[in-house]
Amino acid sequence: RRSTMRQARFSSLLIRSLLALLVGMPVIALVLALQTRPRVASPAPLDQADLARVERLLLDATPRSPSAAGQHEVAFSPEELNLLLNYGLELLELTPEWTGAVALADDQLRGQLSIEFLGQYVPTYLNVETVLEVSDNGLQLTRVTLGDLPIPPPLLQFTLDRLQANLLATGNGIGDIQAILANIDRVHINPDHVEVSLLWDPALVERLGQQAQMLLISGEDEERIVSYYEEISLIATAVPADLGAVSLNTFLVPLFQSALSRSLAGSDPVAENRTLLQTLAIYVNDEDIARLLSPERAAELTPAKFIEVRLQRRQDLAQHLVSIAAISASAGAGFAELLSNTKEAYDARYRSGFSFSDLTANTVGVLIADYATGDAQSARLLQERMGALSDESDYMPQVGNNRDGISESDFSAIYVDRNSPEYLDRLAEIEALIAARPLFQGMPAPGF
């Protein structure tokens, strides 16, 4: 009997030990993969010339008619891919702890990522290397190495399958991502460049953008958005029927007064301002509030009566200011500024031309968002000042004397590019005019 009991205890101990080992294997593998040196050195911070080049790359990669479906091709060199990667890491505020690099070979894209842990104590790094190979279905992840430990191919495939299944179960847009990947006709990679030919589907791109935006909106934010949308509806309903358009201040003043009241009652002023700007941008651009809400929550709302909103008697200026403020409040000023500059460059190349008036409205929008979401102090102070606006000139300089509609060739002839002293001087003039507006006088720098 004692022998049987000892065998039972031994078997139980062995099973528990094996289970603990299986459960702990990912942790053990991660610890074994950690190293004392990064495989990728930290690059120099991006300067203004780098940012201008990022804008140019995005512009060149954008279809001539983004709203129309059609065949589209993009190509990047290794240097350009690394510039875009470094910009993305900076935009996500992952630098300097994260560094990355991309290299190209025949039919292969190799990526490296170094992540620093415990930097202030003992510098420790997780170095990740990946290999993507050209296949009939585009690009396929064929190898992942953590430190010096390669992940066995069966385990890698199992992990990818489980990740895909989980994403499909949660409905986080993986189906649309798969649809975009399915639209890729050809991928060609050699050491000098990567070329991708695909069917551009604007509906898919729009849905992915909306899903990305929804990832930034919490359940509490949804309730705030609903409240601000209902208030916008009340403001619009109170506008006399004979008025075809109203000033942006018609909405800004009462909405920020409401945001201040909620903040004084204990709500987070940064969250109030962010959701206010998001909701107002939807209304000013006459878009569906369902872009910001779950289908169930959006279905409960009665669509607000739409009335045209203007700034200096121009609808486009109001749209520029509020849209870029919402983007900046949600995704950061860096991304908003990049988007603003790329949009103006796109207009100069394909549409109505480069507009310093639009750029001025965009700059005001970014600055408002900076103060609105920088920290609780600046957020509440902005609420007080926005709620007391008396005129559009309190925040927006007059733009009637700007030369707008500048074509790409004319812009190059006048300013060369966006790094030239002539252009930077013009930009500094605009920023000085904005800084002199009463709204921004004496505002403390927000604590980013």
Side-chain angles (χ1 to χ4, degrees):
R1 175 182 286 183
R2 289 181 179 177
S3 175
T4 302
M5 291 178 63
R6 283 197 299 268
Q7 290 177 353
R9 284 198 298 269
F10 176 77
S11 298
S12 175
L13 178 62
L14 179 62
I15 291 173
R16 289 199 300 269
S17 299
L18 288 174
L19 287 174
L21 181 62
L22 288 173
V23 172
M25 277 298 291
V27 177
I28 295 172
L30 179 60
V31 171
L32 292 175
L34 294 178
Q35 298 175 315
T36 58
R37 293 180 179 274
R39 296 269 174 87
V40 185
S42 296
L46 300 182
D47 57 22
Q48 197 60 41
D50 292 326
L51 296 177
R53 193 174 178 200
V54 170
E55 294 167 13
R56 179 63 58 181
L57 290 173
L58 296 179
L59 176 63
D60 291 342
T62 302
R64 182 184 183 94
S65 300
S67 60
Q71 204 66 25
H72 185 56
E73 294 186 357
V74 295
F76 297 105
S77 69
E79 182 186 5
E80 291 168 343
L81 287 173
N82 281 297
L83 176 61
L84 292 172
L85 174 60
N86 290 331
Y87 173 76
L89 292 175
E90 280 199 10
L91 186 66
L92 295 172
E93 299 181 350
L94 296 174
T95 55
E97 290 79 14
W98 292 49
T99 54
V102 174
L104 302 179
D106 288 330
D107 294 329
Q108 281 190 347
L109 188 153
R110 300 171 179 267
Q112 288 187 317
L113 185 67
S114 294
I115 307 171
E116 182 181 2
F117 296 93
L118 307 174
Q120 56 183 326
Y121 302 106
V122 179
T124 307
Y125 299 87
L126 174 62
N127 292 304
V128 182
E129 296 188 23
T130 61
V131 175
L132 292 162
E133 296 188 359
V134 175
S135 69
D136 294 337
N137 298 322
L139 287 176
Q140 182 176 0
L141 183 62
T142 59
R143 189 162 76 241
V144 175
T145 303
L146 303 179
D148 293 324
L149 298 176
I151 296 180
L155 178 58
L156 175 60
Q157 190 58 51
F158 173 78
T159 303
L160 293 174
D161 291 342
R162 292 301 302 169
L163 177 61
Q164 178 176 312
N166 289 337
L167 289 174
L168 284 171
T170 56
N172 283 334
I174 186 65
D176 287 336
I177 294 175
Q178 289 176 323
I180 285 184
L181 294 177
N183 285 345
I184 296 176
D185 296 326
R186 180 180 62 87
V187 177
H188 174 69
I189 302 178
N190 63 34
D192 298 323
H193 63 269
V194 55
E195 295 178 357
V196 179
S197 175
L198 73 160
L199 175 65
W200 177 267
D201 186 337
L204 275 176
V205 175
E206 170 72 12
R207 285 204 299 272
L208 279 173
Q210 182 176 348
Q211 288 158 0
Q213 188 175 26
M214 287 294 295
L215 292 176
L216 303 173
I217 297 174
S218 66
E220 290 182 350
D221 283 346
E222 277 204 10
E223 294 307 314
R224 293 186 178 99
I225 289 167
V226 168
S227 296
Y228 283 120
Y229 188 75
E230 291 174 339
E231 189 162 350
I232 286 172
S233 182
L234 291 174
I235 296 169
T237 301
V239 172
D242 59 338
L243 284 182
V246 297
S247 165
L248 180 58
N249 285 11
T250 302
F251 290 92
L252 286 178
V253 172
L255 289 176
F256 273 99
Q257 288 174 347
S258 178
L260 178 60
S261 297
R262 297 177 192 203
S263 299
L264 293 175
S267 185
D268 178 5
V270 171
E272 293 294 339
N273 292 344
R274 182 181 64 249
T275 50
L276 184 162
L277 292 170
Q278 289 171 326
T279 312
L280 184 58
I282 288 292
Y283 179 79
V284 169
N285 288 285
D286 196 18
E287 295 175 339
D288 192 343
I289 192 61
R291 291 174 60 90
L292 301 178
L293 300 173
S294 64
E296 300 77 17
R297 204 71 179 91
E300 298 172 357
L301 289 175
T302 302
K305 168 192 170 184
F306 179 74
I307 184 168
E308 187 176 304
V309 180
R310 296 178 181 175
L311 179 60
Q312 295 187 6
R313 300 181 181 276
R314 287 175 50 177
Q315 183 183 24
D316 64 318
L317 291 183
Q319 290 173 330
H320 273 277
L321 188 152
V322 176
S323 297
I324 211 71
I327 293 170
S328 185
S330 304
F335 179 71
E337 290 171 355
L338 175 78
L339 191 64
S340 167
N341 292 334
T342 304
K343 170 66 166 57
E344 291 308 316
Y346 177 87
D347 286 346
R349 178 179 293 185
Y350 296 125
R351 301 178 68 182
S352 57
F354 186 94
S355 169
F356 280 109
S357 298
D358 293 349
L359 187 63
T360 302
N362 289 338
T363 306
V364 172
V366 170
L367 188 56
I368 287 175
D370 282 354
Y371 286 118
T373 60
D375 57 30
Q377 179 187 7
S378 68
R380 187 172 294 184
L381 181 56
L382 185 82
Q383 290 171 350
E384 295 174 358
R385 295 193 175 191
M386 294 291 282
L389 291 173
S390 59
D391 192 85
E392 294 174 352
S393 63
D394 287 347
Y395 54 92
M396 180 69 183
Q398 286 294 324
V399 297
N401 59 348
N402 279 335
R403 180 188 173 188
D404 293 330
I406 305 173
S407 68
E408 187 174 36
S409 59
D410 287 345
F411 184 93
S412 297
I414 300 170
Y415 298 104
V416 183
D417 59 35
R418 280 197 274 291
N419 294 311
S420 69
E422 294 81 6
Y423 179 79
L424 294 177
D425 286 346
R426 184 73 184 94
L427 199 60
E429 291 175 8
I430 291 173
E431 291 173 347
L433 287 171
I434 294 171
R437 296 297 89 204
L439 176 66
F440 307 116
Q441 290 293 297
M443 286 285 286
F448 299 120

